[in-house]
Amino acid sequence: ELSGNPLNCDCSIFPFWSWLIERSSIGTTAKCSNGTLVTSLQSAALEACHPDNCLQCFNGGKCVAMGYTLICECIGQWTGKFCQESQCTSYDCGFGDCYIEPVNGTAQCLCDDRYVNFVQ
């Protein structure tokens, strides 16, 4: 019995919603927190939530639901829509090389095996 448990009806509801739609004979009264029956959610709105539509996230990023949109949640120093950009992408170290510190994710310029400055 789910009628007394208001559910968060965003992309996270997609697997449960799909399961209910495939088993329409169950006849549930499960409701979203706004009072809408889960089974009455529009398939068009949830279509973007299908796992096959998940974004290709790079550098350890994870595809997560933000409302009815799927986004890449980046880790460490990675940014951008697909977690494809690092702090080194937008910083010029001149003749040195940009290096990402693996422990804290900060970018540093490396010249002749010495760190000369931190990327801001």
Side-chain angles (χ1 to χ4, degrees):
E1 177 64 34
L2 294 172
S3 60
N5 297 302
L7 301 167
N8 184 13
C9 291
D10 59 9
C11 279
S12 64
I13 197 84
F14 181 80
F16 179 61
W17 174 82
S18 297
W19 185 83
L20 284 177
I21 295 303
E22 291 171 2
R23 292 157 184 83
S24 58
S25 62
I26 291 176
T28 182
T29 56
K31 291 185 178 180
C32 301
S33 57
N34 66 2
T36 304
L37 284 171
V38 172
T39 54
S40 70
L41 293 172
Q42 299 297 312
S43 61
L46 286 169
E47 189 59 36
C49 301
H50 194 283
D52 290 344
N53 294 334
C54 199
L55 303 170
Q56 173 66 41
C57 303
F58 299 101
N59 301 304
K62 183 173 85 173
C63 185
V64 296
M66 170 103 30
Y68 286 110
T69 306
L70 297 173
I71 63 165
C72 288
E73 187 174 79
C74 304
I75 60 170
Q77 82 282 359
W78 299 103
T79 62
K81 184 174 181 178
F82 304 106
C83 305
Q84 79 283 10
E85 297 176 13
S86 78
Q87 294 174 4
C88 286
T89 304
S90 60
Y91 191 77
D92 181 15
C93 284
F95 294 107
D97 295 313
C98 190
Y99 169 78
I100 301 295
E101 173 61 46
V103 175
N104 61 18
T106 59
Q108 302 175 26
C109 289
L110 179 64
C111 297
D112 295 327
D113 297 329
R114 292 181 314 180
Y115 299 109
V116 293
N117 65 332
F118 291 92
V119 177
Q120 301 291 325

